Each structure stands twice: as structure tokens, then as C-alpha cells.
Amino acid sequence: MRCAYFDAELCRSCAWMGRPYGDQLAAKQAHAESLIEGGPQWLAPHASAESGYRNKAKMVVTGTAAEPTLGILDAAGHGVDLLECGLYDDSLQAAFPVLAAFVAHANLTPYDLATRTGELKNLLVTQSPDGELMVRFVLRSQEPVTRIRKHLPALLDALPVLRVASVNLLPDHRAVLEGDREIPLTEQETLLMRVNGIDLHLRPQSFFQTNTEVAAALYRQATAWIDDLSPASVWDLYCGVGGFALHVAAPGRDVVGIETSVEAVASARLSSDGLAGIRFEAADATAFAQAHQAPELVIVNPPRRGIGAQLAGYLEASSTTHVVYSSCNAESLARDLAAMPSLRPVRAQLLDMFPQTTHYEVLTLLARVQ
């Protein structure tokens, strides 16, 4: 894949842009194998489309209300327009100029880092597998909300695939994408993500994997391993919107999903409505585990920092016989595995969630050494 933004040194977010994709995949596989000791059986890596794979755009808004720029900030804090970024497919790219025109139409002044003035900080756009959109306006205050509501019908007409719209409030001057408070703008508040025939409901502040096709493969592989083991009880820790839990739910199997995000748990509960034997709770994964008897199998899908010493120590000392560990950081995974020597990695697969970058997902099945 070639990128005009990268070649012109306007955006260097994709550090491996221009590197042959086969070389990227081989380098990632070698890196993962060098970190995960114990000689697991490695499945062939799951490749991704090289371009058009991202389902979420995180656009910093700069410029003026009349001529907004959607993209990123350069090293000097100036806006770089990324409307034609090749990481997004054509249908998602087509939404960007419509949203830029709406910013001008609703007179939403972009936030200026230097002067700390203006209102609109970011636009967060998520696309479902069906091509429907969720759009979130990240604002410094509620002042523009009335204008957004007034002009929203025009945006819905111009962008008929838009299903969910909201305002996120980020009053602080911080290098983060969003704040804690969400104001819904549309009657529909969840975006339907159909993955492997399972309907996942995504609320505005819920996490979902960036690459839908590779996420689907991740869930399929984990489900295959778990169904082979046929555990009667499963925990899905750091469950997000319940992707793993909903995939492994089965008659006679007790599945519990744990996630700190209240919004994600609300999404998971909506997706699981009517299903027996599965429930979701908003709680800290480590605190929940330490307060309960371990199930037969535990799924963990932590953030980049990993599960940490406390949860690893709990799993090491527990009676659970298998752990399925999905990691976006093989280095923290390796640290966690070292703290669980009784749980040996027996199978593993690299899934390339982030082509053109050094990042990837690795799925590992751990079995307790007898």
C-alpha cells in the first residue's frame, strides 16, 4: 500500500507504510514467537486487508467553522487534512466531506490548542458492517448543542446511513479523545454491529475492535478452542460489549462478562437479551475475580498494559484449567505469562488487526500443567 500523506511526510502514523505486506506479517510473527515461550502450536497468521480496514475514524477538527480541517495535528499543532486516508473504505471516506460541510453549516468553531478557544475538538465516526454510522461530536461545552440539534435533520438527509449521533463533552485541555459525559442526539442510541451472525449493540462510549473482519476471525478462533474444551463455566474479563462472551454462550454453559465501562455493559446486556446462561456486570476484573471461585475457563482481553500481577497471581493459584488470552501487546502478555507458570501456552495465533503499523493482536490458549 502507498499513501500520499505518508510520502509527503504529512502523516507518519503508519510506521510501516510502503513495506511489503508479507514482510510486515512475517516480522510480526517473529516478534510474537520471540516473546511467547513454551512452544505453543502456532496457527497460520490471519492476514488483513492492507487498506480500508478501519471501522472507526478519530478526526481532530481544526481550521475555522467556515473551512474546517478533519484529520490529525502535526508536530507544531497544525491541522492536517486526512479526508482521503486509505485506511478507511470508500463509503466511510464519503462521509467525511458531508460532516465537514455540517460543521460549517452549524457554525461549529474548531477548538484551537494555542489559544484554548473554540468548541469542536474531535469527530469520532464508527461504521458498522452494514455500512451504518455513529457520529460523535466532541465539544468543550454544551453551548453548540442547540445549534447541532437544529441542523441535525439536514445532516440526516445528507448522510442517510447515519443512525446514531451524540455529543461528548470534554471541557478539559487534555490530550485525550473524549470526556465522560455523553448527550444523545438521535432516538437510536446503539449502532448494530453484526459479527459472525451475532448482533452486538455498540453504544457511544463502548469499545469495539478497530478491524471488524479480523475481530470476527478472533472471535471464531477463540470460540472453536473453547467449544473443543466444552467448559461448563466461563468468565469473559475485560469483556467490552460482550463479543467473546456472546460468541461462546451455549446451552448448559454459565457465562459471565465483566467490564468496568457501564456503557459497554449496557451494550452487552442489550445484545444478550433473551439468552439464557449469560450475564454481564460492571466491575473491575481483578476485584471480581478475587471475590469469586474461578470457573473452568477464563477469557481475558485486557488493554495494552495486560492483566497485571494481581490477576495473574489469582489465575495461577486458582482452579481454572484453561485461559484464553487475547492481547494487543505481546510484551505485556509475555510478562503476564511469566507470572502464571502453571498455565502453559499450548496454542497461539497472530491476527493482524493493524496493517501498516507495528501493532497486532495475538490469541493464546493456556492449559494448566498437571
Side-chain angles (χ1 to χ4, degrees):
M1 176 182 173
R2 296 301 300 269
C3 173
Y5 297 110
F6 185 87
D7 291 343
E9 299 188 357
L10 294 173
C11 175
R12 288 297 176 122
S13 299
C14 297
W16 282 3
M17 183 63 68
R19 184 173 181 175
Y21 185 60
D23 291 352
Q24 293 185 34
L25 208 57
K28 293 179 182 185
Q29 182 69 32
H31 183 252
E33 291 186 19
S34 73
L35 291 170
I36 300 176
E37 300 178 351
Q41 175 190 358
W42 282 93
L43 302 181
H46 185 91
S48 168
E50 295 183 47
S51 62
Y53 67 83
R54 286 190 64 95
N55 57 31
K56 186 173 185 177
K58 304 173 183 179
M59 295 294 202
V60 178
V61 185
T62 55
T64 65
E67 296 184 359
T69 295
L70 309 185
I72 60 171
L73 296 176
D74 64 16
H78 301 131
V80 176
D81 194 314
L82 293 183
L83 294 189
E84 297 180 7
C85 174
L87 298 186
Y88 311 111
D89 69 15
D90 292 344
S91 58
L92 185 50
Q93 281 189 30
F96 299 153
V98 178
L99 291 170
F102 177 78
V103 170
H105 185 61
N107 193 30
L108 302 177
T109 305
Y111 183 70
D112 182 81
L113 279 174
T115 62
R116 301 191 181 186
T117 58
E119 285 292 340
L120 182 59
K121 294 185 173 183
N122 305 310
L123 276 175
L124 308 180
V125 187
T126 304
Q127 183 180 48
S128 77
D130 296 327
E132 298 179 337
L133 297 181
M134 174 192 294
V135 175
R136 303 168 65 203
F137 299 87
V138 182
L139 301 176
R140 188 177 66 158
S141 77
Q142 287 186 245
E143 186 275 326
V145 172
T146 300
R147 291 201 307 281
I148 294 176
R149 290 189 188 278
K150 175 184 176 181
H151 296 290
L152 187 61
L155 177 60
L156 293 170
D157 287 341
L159 197 58
V161 291
L162 177 59
R163 293 291 177 269
V164 182
S166 65
V167 162
N168 178 272
L169 294 182
L170 179 60
D172 304 327
H173 183 78
R174 292 185 293 150
V176 294
L177 280 173
E178 60 186 87
D180 296 329
R181 186 181 172 196
E182 203 82 18
I183 302 173
L185 299 174
T186 52
E187 182 177 354
Q188 184 172 326
E189 295 185 29
T190 65
L191 185 67
L192 186 60
M193 308 290 285
R194 292 188 175 92
V195 180
N196 297 323
I198 294 176
D199 289 347
L200 302 175
H201 291 82
L202 186 66
R203 295 174 67 85
Q205 291 181 304
S206 303
F207 169 78
F208 188 80
Q209 299 282 5
T210 299
N211 188 323
T212 304
E213 188 279 325
V214 177
L218 178 72
Y219 294 142
R220 289 195 301 270
Q221 187 56 65
T223 302
W225 286 346
I226 292 169
D227 284 348
D228 282 346
L229 295 168
S230 193
S233 54
V234 175
W235 287 349
D236 179 7
L237 304 182
Y238 311 94
C239 70
V241 297
F244 283 108
L246 289 161
H247 275 78
V248 304
R253 180 178 295 163
D254 181 59
V255 180
V256 180
I258 301 297
E259 169 61 51
T260 57
S261 168
V262 174
E263 287 292 301
V265 169
S267 297
R269 286 174 174 167
L270 181 60
S271 300
S272 65
D273 187 36
L275 294 178
I278 183 170
R279 67 185 189 278
F280 294 93
E281 296 182 20
D284 174 78
T286 301
F288 173 85
Q290 291 175 332
H292 294 82
Q293 180 66 35
E296 291 182 29
L297 185 143
V298 176
I299 304 167
V300 292
N301 183 26
R304 290 190 60 79
R305 65 178 180 272
I307 64 174
Q310 282 188 299
L311 183 52
Y314 168 87
L315 292 172
E316 169 67 12
S318 75
S319 60
T320 193
T321 57
H322 292 87
V323 173
V324 173
Y325 194 137
S326 181
S327 172
C328 61
N329 182 358
E331 293 182 1
S332 61
L333 169 61
R335 290 196 300 270
D336 290 336
L337 293 181
M340 299 184 291
S342 295
L343 289 160
R344 183 173 64 87
V346 292
R347 296 179 187 172
Q349 184 180 30
L350 184 144
L351 298 102
D352 194 13
M353 198 76 72
F354 312 100
Q356 318 307 332
T357 77
T358 60
H359 303 294
Y360 57 87
E361 193 85 9
V362 61
L363 186 68
T364 308
L365 173 64
L366 314 178
R368 188 168 298 280
V369 178
Q370 301 298 323

